[in-house]
Amino acid sequence: MTTIADAFAAAYGRAPEGVWSAPGRVNLIGEHTDYNNGFVLPFAIDYRTQAAIARREDREIHLRSTFADGEVVASLDALDPATMDGWSAYVLGVAWAAADAGVSMEGAFGLDILIDSRVPVGAGLSSSAALECAAGVAFNDLWGWDLDKLAIARLGRVAENTAVGAPTGLLDQAASMLGKEDHVVFLDCLTEEARPVPLHLREEGLGILVMNSNVEHEHATGGYGDRFRSCERGAKELGVESLREVDRDGLERALEVLDAETLRRVRHVVTENERVLATVDTLEEHGPRALGPLLDASQESMRDDFEITVREIDLACEAAVAGGAIGARMTGGGFGGSSIALVPLDKADAIADAVRAALAQAGLREPTIFPVVPSEGARRDS
Ligand code: GLA
């Protein structure tokens, strides 16, 4: 098997100085709450993006990958988000974001970089955050930034927002940076306090299946931005800084103030925040087998109130639960992408078969179904 070090040597004619990696993520619950200063509960998955790197004597970044032809070259003295595009924007954007945040790039040297990724693209599993965080941990080590994990996650978010142009929150990068084996990351997006919460999946004989609808989403345009703006409008009309400040009583008042559509959007965010907190409590008090009703309620809220699911996702979740899953819900930004099912391991194959059969019978696109394991966040591999 060719390793990334071999591929680097073939591309650049010398050995890399090190290899860094960062994972994609699944959000267990807490969707579209991050940019509303709410709560999220993601985990890092066992699909990673690797970056093999060696320093150069000039101040140029040379970027290649195992998934696209050619080489992108950028000067550290002329990093400009306006000229960044494609997958390389996720890497160069992190260097730009650091400089923009006041991290000194004066002593920084150029780099030869080769990227390889096992995180499925377009599946809603944050292949972009994996790329940003792999670059972030590598730059942090190589250029001696001395930033903590959350600070690196923030740079990844800024890169995504600026260089890529998607108005996303901190969910994906925080999961990729802070992930821990068999744990979810409980993040309060207002205070940016994070703590790992044990999942106990293995000892309970449970697993998580990703059901990729194979319907591709695009967050830089379209529905994601619309939802972002609906939430902004809702907050403004309710006279609050962010929807985090709205509770059940606030929802009552919202009934009188908001139009029907904005009310549904706001209701999703408010109830989803409650469900994240309830999920943490339930995990700590009763364990993962008790999570079914919360996962299913989140799916319903995304389907009926936030309206970000597609038929393929709704049906996959229904069929998974009917087939014996403990609970199932869409994960990520929506409009396609993936859903997840929490399943007893001994029923995983039967549940996957039931989901495929239900979609086939409805004449819908065949999903790609595979297990994911909550794993370690970004790190230096070698
Ligand atoms: C995408 C974004 C995240 C988050 C989710 C929805 O994954 O990148 O910041 O908003 O959608 O929860």
Side-chain angles (χ1 to χ4, degrees), residues 136-148:
V137 277
F139 296 163
N140 189 53
D141 282 356
L142 284 160
W143 290 333
W145 283 349
D146 203 22
L147 297 176
D148 65 25

Side-chain angles (χ1 to χ4, degrees), residues 4-351:
I4 187 162
D6 295 338
F8 183 96
Y12 291 108
R14 60 197 175 116
E17 196 171 315
V19 176
W20 289 260
S21 73
R25 66 98 189 89
V26 151
N27 193 16
L28 181 64
I29 195 162
E31 229 62 77
H32 287 259
T33 45
D34 60 353
Y35 58 79
N36 287 301
N37 283 346
F39 304 108
V40 292
L41 203 61
F43 60 86
I45 57 176
D46 50 333
Y47 288 81
R48 307 181 73 88
T49 294
Q50 284 191 308
I53 305 183
R55 69 187 70 200
R56 300 172 54 88
E57 281 171 7
D58 55 17
R59 279 175 54 90
E60 284 182 354
I61 296 192
H62 288 227
L63 263 174
R64 294 174 187 228
S65 75
T66 56
F67 49 79
D69 289 336
E71 185 176 75
V72 174
V73 179
S75 164
L76 282 178
D77 300 309
L79 291 173
D80 176 4
T83 62
M84 297 175 186
D85 66 348
W87 65 272
S88 60
Y90 296 109
V91 177
L92 298 174
V94 172
W96 171 82
D100 192 60
V103 175
S104 171
M105 298 288 274
E106 246 167 60
F109 36 80
L111 301 170
D112 284 336
I113 305 178
L114 178 77
I115 303 283
D116 180 51
S117 184
R118 298 294 140 98
V119 185
V121 172
L125 300 176
S126 296
S127 55
S128 56
L131 204 45
E132 290 148 7
C133 294
V137 277
F139 296 163
N140 189 53
D141 282 356
L142 284 160
W143 290 333
W145 283 349
D146 203 22
L147 297 176
D148 65 25
K149 290 184 178 188
L150 212 53
I152 296 174
R154 280 187 212 108
L155 294 181
R157 178 192 178 182
V158 173
E160 184 105 17
N161 292 167
T162 314
V164 192
T168 50
L170 192 58
L171 165 68
D172 309 338
Q173 294 81 9
S176 184
M177 288 305 306
L178 302 174
K180 204 173 154 194
E181 224 172 275
D182 205 23
H183 284 69
V184 272
V185 178
F186 175 42
L187 173 71
D188 178 337
C189 299
L190 178 65
T191 62
E192 293 191 349
E193 272 168 327
R195 79 177 162 92
V197 178
L199 269 169
H200 301 298
L201 289 185
R202 225 166 311 149
E203 64 196 76
E204 289 285 338
L206 299 179
I208 290 179
L209 290 179
V210 164
M211 308 184 285
N212 178 2
S213 67
N214 291 316
V215 178
E216 287 219 15
H217 67 287
E218 176 70 74
H219 290 337
T221 54
Y224 187 96
D226 288 346
R227 296 304 181 274
F228 179 89
R229 283 184 292 277
S230 284
C231 292
E232 245 180 6
R233 184 166 57 244
K236 193 162 169 241
E237 286 174 13
L238 291 171
V240 291
E241 194 68 31
S242 75
L243 294 182
R244 165 64 173 277
E245 292 166 51
V246 183
D247 56 12
R248 284 279 161 165
D249 291 343
L251 267 188
E252 292 287 314
R253 216 171 60 76
L255 267 174
E256 290 150 29
V257 179
L258 302 178
D259 65 86
E261 186 187 283
T262 311
L263 177 69
R264 289 201 301 281
R265 307 297 186 244
V266 169
R267 186 166 57 201
H268 164 74
V269 174
V270 173
T271 58
E272 186 79 346
N273 275 330
E274 288 180 353
R275 282 185 290 269
V276 175
L277 296 177
T279 301
V280 172
D281 287 348
T282 303
L283 268 175
E284 288 177 340
E285 280 164 35
H286 307 286
R289 282 186 183 269
L291 293 181
L294 287 162
L295 299 178
D296 296 344
S298 173
Q299 163 63 17
E300 279 165 31
S301 179
M302 291 187 288
R303 185 191 63 203
D304 302 337
D305 273 354
F306 219 58
E307 297 176 277
I308 50 172
T309 65
V310 294
R311 185 75 197 115
E312 287 81 353
I313 295 268
D314 295 340
L315 195 54
C317 291
E318 284 160 29
V321 172
I326 289 169
R329 64 181 290 280
M330 193 199 79
T331 189
F335 308 100
S338 296
S339 51
I340 52 166
L342 176 62
V343 299
L345 284 173
D346 56 359
K347 289 192 190 155
D349 289 342
I351 292 168

